[in-house]
Amino acid sequence: MMKELEFTFTTLDVFQKIRPHVIQYVRENLKGNSALMEVALMEAINNAWEHGGKKDANRGVRVRLRVQNGKRLIIRVKDDGPGFHANEKLKQINVEEGNLFERCLYEESGRGLLLMNQAADKITYNRQGNEVLMVKALPVKRGKPFFPPH
């Protein structure tokens, strides 16, 4: 199992070639509990490409996935854009979560941050608002039960 996966892409064609490896990495590390995190990661990448990269091949999107101490999956997605007030938006999501979900349900956009917030155990943006950090605890490995000798 890979400890780290890191890449930068400037076109969606390149990302489409890398995407299966990204999904496989998340699935291998989160075992059967990966579906929501896969969606969250794709939302983060899509947001970086659409809003930060402005679909411009001169602007890249950097993605880094790694396992820290065998306990958590760390995901970073960074774009070359100007960023936005992401942490303020996250605070709003945490305060209004139920109402916000209802409002966003049928909107064209705006659900990405909400989904990312639901999937990750921790989510934060850098000060500029052009890099997201998501943390997800790995499933606890269960060994064989110990039965002492009689």
Side-chain angles (χ1 to χ4, degrees):
M1 185 177 341
M2 283 188 289
K3 291 283 185 195
E4 186 170 318
L5 178 63
E6 186 171 1
F7 60 91
T8 300
F9 68 94
T10 55
T11 68
L12 283 181
D13 289 343
V14 170
F15 177 67
Q16 291 304 327
K17 292 175 185 167
I18 299 167
R19 187 178 188 276
H21 301 287
V22 173
I23 296 298
Q24 179 182 353
Y25 184 91
V26 173
R27 285 181 181 167
E28 283 179 4
N29 284 292
L30 294 180
K31 309 294 182 228
N33 195 18
S34 67
L36 191 55
M37 200 66 222
E38 291 172 37
V39 172
L41 175 55
M42 291 306 123
E43 286 291 339
I45 291 170
N46 187 55
N47 285 348
W49 175 251
E50 294 277 329
H51 303 294
K54 303 275 190 216
K55 303 178 186 177
D56 182 347
N58 294 317
R59 292 183 175 192
V61 173
R62 287 174 294 290
V63 180
R64 181 177 179 205
L65 299 98
R66 68 184 172 93
V67 172
Q68 183 182 50
N69 300 329
K71 294 181 179 180
R72 59 191 65 84
L73 175 63
I74 309 292
I75 298 172
R76 291 181 178 273
V77 178
K78 184 174 185 180
D79 61 66
D80 292 331
F84 72 111
H85 300 292
N87 288 318
E88 289 176 24
K89 191 76 167 167
L90 284 172
K91 285 178 189 171
Q92 179 187 3
I93 286 171
N94 286 325
V95 169
E96 301 182 38
E97 196 164 330
N99 296 334
L100 197 59
F101 188 79
E102 291 292 321
R103 284 200 313 252
C104 291
L105 197 56
Y106 301 105
E107 296 293 322
E108 184 71 26
S109 66
R111 291 181 302 274
L113 272 179
L114 188 63
L115 288 167
M116 292 160 54
N117 193 53
Q118 286 290 312
D121 296 325
K122 178 181 179 183
I123 178 173
T124 188
Y125 276 80
N126 66 355
R127 182 172 288 155
Q128 186 176 333
N130 70 337
E131 180 178 19
V132 64
L133 166 72
M134 293 185 287
V135 179
K136 181 71 175 175
L138 298 181
V140 176
K141 293 179 184 175
R142 300 199 188 277
K144 294 181 181 178
F146 174 73
F147 295 105
H150 293 99

